[in-house]
Amino acid sequence: MSAPEAVTLAPVARTGRRRRVDLLLWFCGAWLAVLVLAAITAPLLGLPEAQDASKTLLEPIYQPPSLGSAHPLGTNALGLDMLARIIYGARVSLTVSISAVLIGTLAGGTLGVVAGYLRGNVDRIIGTLTNTLLAVPALILLVALATVLRPSALNMTLALSLVAVPGLIRVTRANTLAFAQREFVTVAQALGAGRARVVFRELMPNVLLSVVPMCLVYVSALVVAEASLSFLGIGLRPPQPTWGNMIAEGLNGKMEDYPHLVYVPAAVLFLTVFSFNLLGERLRKRWDKREVSL
């Protein structure tokens, strides 16, 4: 190949690389979009009964999945529709997990930014609090809280947010130490901005934006934590459908005879956790590139 031909083909090759589509990323995004949309509009979808067993006395029990039937994902021991329970379970899991991450981000992010900017005694006090929470294994902490608190979506959200706080404090503190050396902070201080203005107007928006990828990963972790507690019987309990207590219906040998009781909610749980993790990882890489360019 001659030199002019190489020069001509090089931009074409680079253009081809730029147009490469990440199909896995699009699949994960589409899955989460469909799941969230279905969870939000669940009451409007005309789904079969998902909670009240008195309304399913004439429905078949343990019906296996059949896409052409009235119960495409099958039914459980009470004749409740698995698809409806999956969607209503998504409402619980996503609401609890996302709310817990938002609370943890607000509380942990504020404490981390304050600790990273003020330093000194404030940093030491917040650091001690963080290390204390991290010293207790997350699952043990959740089990202890779940046994003390009344099982409800609000209490579950508060318990899960407590698990997210210490990690978010550390991440936001580390990012604050880097952002505190940036020009916009120096300029704000030179113009006479007080500490509160620097923290809440200059640092917080930039620091919290940088932890968005980690928040997505935390959502996936808390979805698993909520499902684990429900599986153990100390989270939200039936007839409220959650993915965890749906998987628990396969205990005592029922999974061998009716595997769809476990495989259906487990597959949905896996796809959801995988999607949140993948999106968080992709966002982290893009954020890292943005930081390098800055």
Side-chain angles (χ1 to χ4, degrees):
M1 181 183 295
S2 64
E5 290 177 344
V7 172
T8 303
L9 293 178
V12 176
R14 286 196 296 269
T15 303
R17 285 197 295 269
R18 288 195 194 102
R19 292 181 179 177
R20 183 181 301 169
V21 178
D22 192 337
L23 294 179
L24 186 58
L25 179 63
W26 279 99
F27 170 79
C28 291
W31 168 258
L32 292 179
V34 170
L35 188 66
V36 170
L37 182 62
I40 293 174
T41 61
L44 306 176
L45 297 179
L47 297 169
E49 185 56 40
Q51 298 187 46
D52 191 353
S54 65
K55 298 180 181 179
T56 59
L57 297 178
L58 300 180
E59 297 292 336
I61 63 172
Y62 294 128
Q63 177 182 315
S66 177
L67 297 181
S69 69
H71 306 286
L73 297 183
T75 60
N76 67 357
L78 301 176
L80 299 173
D81 184 70
M82 293 288 288
L83 176 60
R85 288 176 65 78
I86 286 290
I87 293 176
Y88 278 97
R91 300 187 85 185
V92 174
S93 294
L94 296 179
T95 300
V96 168
S97 302
I98 294 175
S99 299
V101 170
L102 290 177
I103 294 173
T105 302
L106 181 61
T110 302
L111 291 174
V113 172
V114 170
Y117 181 66
L118 298 183
R119 307 296 297 276
N121 291 330
V122 174
D123 190 19
R124 282 191 287 272
I125 293 172
I126 295 176
T128 302
L129 172 64
T130 304
N131 293 332
T132 301
L133 291 174
L134 289 173
V136 182
L139 184 58
I140 293 177
L141 177 61
L142 287 175
V143 170
L145 292 173
T147 54
V148 173
L149 300 174
R150 184 175 64 87
S152 67
L154 177 59
N155 289 337
M156 186 69 66
T157 300
L158 295 176
L160 292 175
S161 65
L162 190 61
V163 173
V165 164
L168 289 167
I169 289 177
R170 285 197 163 186
V171 172
T172 53
R173 177 186 177 276
N175 287 333
T176 301
L177 294 176
F179 278 109
Q181 311 301 320
R182 294 288 182 87
E183 292 79 5
F184 63 89
V185 175
T186 305
V187 170
Q189 293 171 338
L191 293 176
R195 289 182 173 180
R197 180 180 176 84
V198 172
V199 168
F200 292 103
R201 296 290 298 275
E202 306 295 339
L203 289 173
M204 284 282 286
N206 291 283
V207 171
L208 292 184
L209 181 63
S210 67
V211 301
V212 169
M214 184 178 180
C215 289
L216 291 176
V217 176
Y218 261 106
V219 169
S220 68
L222 295 187
V223 167
V224 174
E226 185 277 327
S228 300
L229 293 177
S230 297
F231 177 82
L232 294 174
I234 54 179
L236 297 177
R237 298 170 185 173
Q240 173 69 60
T242 70
W243 296 340
N245 60 37
M246 289 180 68
I247 295 174
E249 292 178 2
L251 295 175
N252 301 322
K254 293 181 181 177
M255 178 182 172
E256 287 76 7
D257 298 324
Y258 314 104
H260 69 283
L261 293 178
V262 174
Y263 291 152
V264 169
V268 173
L269 178 62
F270 167 77
L271 287 175
T272 304
V273 171
F274 178 79
S275 298
F276 274 117
N277 271 305
L278 184 73
L279 288 177
E281 180 64 20
R282 294 291 194 273
L283 280 178
R284 184 191 64 80
K285 290 181 179 178
R286 178 162 296 185
W287 177 263
D288 290 343
K289 291 179 181 178
R290 177 178 179 271
E291 286 292 287
V292 170
S293 64
L294 291 176

Short mmCIF file of all heavy atoms in Angstrom, two decimals, residues 20 28 34 49 66 92 115 179 190 204 211 260:
data_model
loop_
_atom_site.label_atom_id
_atom_site.label_comp_id
_atom_site.label_asym_id
_atom_site.label_seq_id
_atom_site.Cartn_x
_atom_site.Cartn_y
_atom_site.Cartn_z
N ARG A 20 -18.34 2.44 16.64
CA ARG A 20 -18.58 1.15 17.26
C ARG A 20 -19.63 1.29 18.36
O ARG A 20 -19.54 2.17 19.21
CB ARG A 20 -17.28 0.59 17.83
CG ARG A 20 -17.43 -0.80 18.43
CD ARG A 20 -16.11 -1.27 18.99
NE ARG A 20 -15.09 -1.30 17.94
CZ ARG A 20 -13.80 -1.48 18.21
NH1 ARG A 20 -13.37 -1.58 19.44
NH2 ARG A 20 -12.94 -1.50 17.20
N CYS A 28 -28.16 -3.20 28.67
CA CYS A 28 -28.33 -2.93 30.10
C CYS A 28 -29.18 -1.68 30.33
O CYS A 28 -30.06 -1.66 31.20
CB CYS A 28 -26.97 -2.77 30.78
SG CYS A 28 -26.01 -4.30 30.85
N VAL A 34 -36.87 -0.36 30.81
CA VAL A 34 -38.12 -1.14 30.77
C VAL A 34 -38.56 -1.52 32.18
O VAL A 34 -39.74 -1.43 32.53
CB VAL A 34 -37.94 -2.39 29.89
CG1 VAL A 34 -39.13 -3.33 30.04
CG2 VAL A 34 -37.75 -2.00 28.44
N GLU A 49 -53.41 -10.88 39.55
CA GLU A 49 -53.21 -10.63 40.98
C GLU A 49 -51.81 -11.04 41.43
O GLU A 49 -51.30 -12.09 41.05
CB GLU A 49 -54.25 -11.41 41.80
CG GLU A 49 -54.22 -11.14 43.28
CD GLU A 49 -54.39 -9.66 43.61
OE1 GLU A 49 -55.20 -8.99 42.94
OE2 GLU A 49 -53.69 -9.20 44.52
N SER A 66 -45.16 -20.07 30.41
CA SER A 66 -45.67 -20.33 29.08
C SER A 66 -46.04 -18.99 28.47
O SER A 66 -47.00 -18.34 28.90
CB SER A 66 -46.91 -21.25 29.14
OG SER A 66 -47.44 -21.45 27.84
N VAL A 92 -40.55 -2.32 44.86
CA VAL A 92 -39.99 -2.33 46.21
C VAL A 92 -38.47 -2.23 46.16
O VAL A 92 -37.86 -1.36 46.80
CB VAL A 92 -40.42 -3.60 46.96
CG1 VAL A 92 -39.73 -3.68 48.32
CG2 VAL A 92 -41.93 -3.63 47.14
N ALA A 115 -15.39 17.20 55.78
CA ALA A 115 -14.16 16.65 56.35
C ALA A 115 -12.96 16.95 55.45
O ALA A 115 -11.87 17.32 55.93
CB ALA A 115 -14.29 15.15 56.54
N PHE A 179 -10.32 18.41 44.59
CA PHE A 179 -11.01 19.59 44.07
C PHE A 179 -10.66 20.85 44.85
O PHE A 179 -10.73 21.96 44.29
CB PHE A 179 -12.53 19.38 44.12
CG PHE A 179 -13.08 18.59 42.96
CD1 PHE A 179 -13.54 17.30 43.14
CD2 PHE A 179 -13.13 19.14 41.70
CE1 PHE A 179 -14.04 16.57 42.08
CE2 PHE A 179 -13.62 18.41 40.62
CZ PHE A 179 -14.08 17.13 40.82
N ALA A 190 -10.40 33.82 47.17
CA ALA A 190 -9.80 35.13 46.97
C ALA A 190 -10.85 36.23 46.89
O ALA A 190 -10.60 37.38 47.27
CB ALA A 190 -8.96 35.12 45.70
N MET A 204 -19.50 20.93 46.56
CA MET A 204 -20.53 19.89 46.56
C MET A 204 -21.00 19.50 45.15
O MET A 204 -21.06 18.31 44.83
CB MET A 204 -21.72 20.32 47.41
CG MET A 204 -21.49 20.22 48.91
SD MET A 204 -21.61 18.52 49.52
CE MET A 204 -23.36 18.27 49.46
N VAL A 211 -19.20 11.18 42.04
CA VAL A 211 -19.51 9.92 42.73
C VAL A 211 -20.75 9.25 42.14
O VAL A 211 -21.18 8.21 42.65
CB VAL A 211 -19.70 10.13 44.24
CG1 VAL A 211 -18.46 10.71 44.87
CG2 VAL A 211 -20.90 11.00 44.54
N HIS A 260 -39.07 -22.75 38.28
CA HIS A 260 -39.34 -21.37 37.89
C HIS A 260 -39.58 -20.47 39.09
O HIS A 260 -39.44 -19.25 39.00
CB HIS A 260 -40.56 -21.31 36.95
CG HIS A 260 -41.86 -21.65 37.62
ND1 HIS A 260 -42.25 -22.94 37.91
CD2 HIS A 260 -42.87 -20.85 38.07
CE1 HIS A 260 -43.44 -22.93 38.47
NE2 HIS A 260 -43.84 -21.68 38.59
#
